[in-house]
Amino acid sequence: MTSLITMDDLTNEEIISILDIAEQMLPIARGEAYTPILSGKVLANLFFEPSTRTRMSFEAAMKRLGGSVLNLGDVSTSSVVKGETLFDTMQMMDGYADIAVIRHPRQGAAKYSSDAVEIPVINAGDGAGHHPTQTLLDLFTIRKCHGTLEGLQVALVGDLRYGRTVHSLSGALARFGSSLTFISPSSLSMPREIVQDLRNSGVDIVETEDFLGSIESLDVIYMTRIQKERFPDEEEYRKVAGVFCLTAKDLVNAKKNMIIMHPLPRVNEIAPDVDSTPHAKYFEQAFYGVVARMALLCRLLEVDVQEAIE
Ligand code: CP
């Protein structure tokens, strides 16, 4: 792997190896240890779409490991507003940085960028396409809470049509043998090609609009935001906005160890009264973004973590 554009760039063994390294990074991410194994390395953060967690956790990961970060910053203050193309912007990165992280509203922009440069490129979200580093931290969270990635019953809820997090996560979970329930309004169902690919590879999938019908059998509920910014027509958004909202009283029949995840930001999909239940893992999940991204950066920058830490 020289860049990470989709989860297909990683084998199951590579995923497990990244999660194992991420586990070792926990004391560094918490500030309990300082191991500057990325000292001298420079990351370029190129966010053409808003972000809090992905941008800042990449920055935290790099800095906690002794590296440094260049931010494109607010796109409206960059030369993009003068008409510079993505290709030309990327050409600069080969000279300025050792690795680049890109988020862009256009599906395929990360792959296009990685083809334009020599340095590794990490897809931090390309439109309604993929978000593989979110999947790494999601898998880390699931394994941390359930002790395994295998054989789980997972419900993905909300905007499955435009939701790049669930596009990446569904395939990865399937590869580890999870059963998947896709819960969405019909207008926001998982793209047919993803469902077909999963079914062709033998994955057990249920598609439904019934939000809480199977809650007692689930190990993971993965909520997602209905993404207003992806709708071509605001009227269509208004028809489905707020359709699913999980509250604490909905959880009475849930398994004790069932976990609730969300890539965040949430709008109104999870009521605040869920936060204090033992099921709520979404803030912990966001923290695990730091270790998952630390492990990935080390791998792409070809730093031998074992040798450096021992
Ligand atoms: N989960 C996620 O991608 O969050 P941000 O949009 O804040 O980066």
Side-chain angles (χ1 to χ4, degrees):
M1 175 188 49
T2 51
S3 286
L4 180 64
I5 308 302
T6 76
M7 288 303 287
D8 288 342
D9 294 323
L10 293 168
T11 64
N12 285 13
E13 292 70 29
E14 285 172 323
I15 293 170
I16 295 298
S17 162
I18 288 170
L19 302 190
D20 289 344
I21 293 169
E23 190 77 40
Q24 288 181 276
M25 296 289 177
L26 281 168
I28 304 173
R30 293 188 184 116
E32 297 160 3
Y34 182 57
T35 313
I37 53 180
L38 296 185
S39 173
K41 300 290 185 189
V42 177
L43 166 79
N45 248 346
L46 307 168
F47 281 74
F48 294 83
E49 263 194 349
S51 169
T52 297
R53 276 147 292 276
T54 312
R55 183 176 56 79
M56 294 187 74
S57 63
F58 264 115
E59 189 153 350
M62 201 66 191
K63 289 182 173 174
R64 293 270 194 204
L65 292 173
S68 50
V69 181
L70 302 175
N71 274 294
L72 178 69
D74 182 348
V75 174
S76 70
T77 64
S78 77
S79 287
V80 173
V81 291
K82 301 176 197 164
E84 185 160 51
T85 63
L86 180 58
F87 181 87
D88 284 2
T89 301
M90 289 309 296
Q91 293 308 301
M92 303 310 112
M93 297 311 125
D94 265 338
Y96 296 167
D98 301 296
I99 190 163
V101 172
I102 182 165
R103 171 171 290 185
H104 199 281
R106 203 170 68 233
Q107 203 165 330
K111 170 77 175 113
Y112 176 82
S113 300
S114 76
D115 289 343
V117 294
E118 298 293 322
I119 59 172
V121 171
I122 300 173
N123 181 6
D126 60 328
H130 293 269
H131 195 347
T133 67
Q134 179 69 43
T135 294
L136 290 174
L137 74 96
D138 293 341
L139 295 177
F140 185 87
T141 307
I142 293 169
R143 193 177 77 160
K144 198 91 184 125
C145 295
H146 283 295
T148 182
L149 293 175
E150 287 170 26
L152 299 170
Q153 300 276 341
V154 181
L156 306 180
V157 184
D159 182 354
L160 308 186
R161 178 177 180 183
Y162 299 115
R164 57 196 176 199
T165 63
V166 287
H167 297 168
S168 293
L169 181 60
S170 55
L173 284 169
R175 283 161 58 181
F176 288 99
S178 287
S179 298
L180 301 174
T181 302
F182 294 157
I183 305 172
S184 70
S186 60
S187 61
L188 293 179
S189 63
M190 189 65 90
R192 289 305 88 192
E193 61 274 18
I194 294 181
V195 174
Q196 206 49 56
D197 279 355
L198 291 169
R199 289 210 164 113
N200 288 347
S201 56
V203 183
D204 180 17
I205 293 172
V206 173
E207 290 187 276
T208 178
E209 294 185 51
D210 180 9
F211 180 27
L212 296 166
S214 62
I215 192 163
E216 64 285 344
S217 65
L218 296 173
D219 301 301
V220 179
I221 298 180
Y222 193 97
M223 299 295 293
T224 64
R225 178 174 66 92
I226 311 272
Q227 301 176 89
K228 187 178 182 186
E229 67 274 23
R230 306 258 178 251
F231 281 74
D233 175 356
E234 195 165 332
E235 185 49 36
E236 288 305 306
Y237 168 73
R238 271 198 288 273
K239 283 184 196 161
V240 286
V243 67
F244 298 134
C245 179
L246 193 62
T247 66
K249 71 175 166 36
D250 296 325
L251 304 173
V252 287
N253 293 324
K255 289 183 191 172
K256 271 197 168 45
N257 64 349
M258 185 276 286
I259 62 171
I260 301 164
M261 299 173 64
H262 192 307
L264 303 176
R266 67 174 153 178
V267 181
N268 49 17
E269 312 79 51
I270 303 178
D273 66 2
V274 175
D275 297 359
S276 55
T277 72
H279 303 288
K281 298 294 176 195
Y282 26 92
F283 295 125
E284 198 175 321
Q285 178 188 356
F287 165 69
Y288 291 146
V290 180
V291 289
R293 289 173 175 127
M294 280 176 165
L296 177 67
L297 288 168
C298 288
R299 183 163 194 110
L300 288 172
L301 290 167
E302 298 180 344
V303 170
D304 186 336
V305 175
Q306 300 311 336
E307 194 174 287
I309 283 182
E310 279 161 18

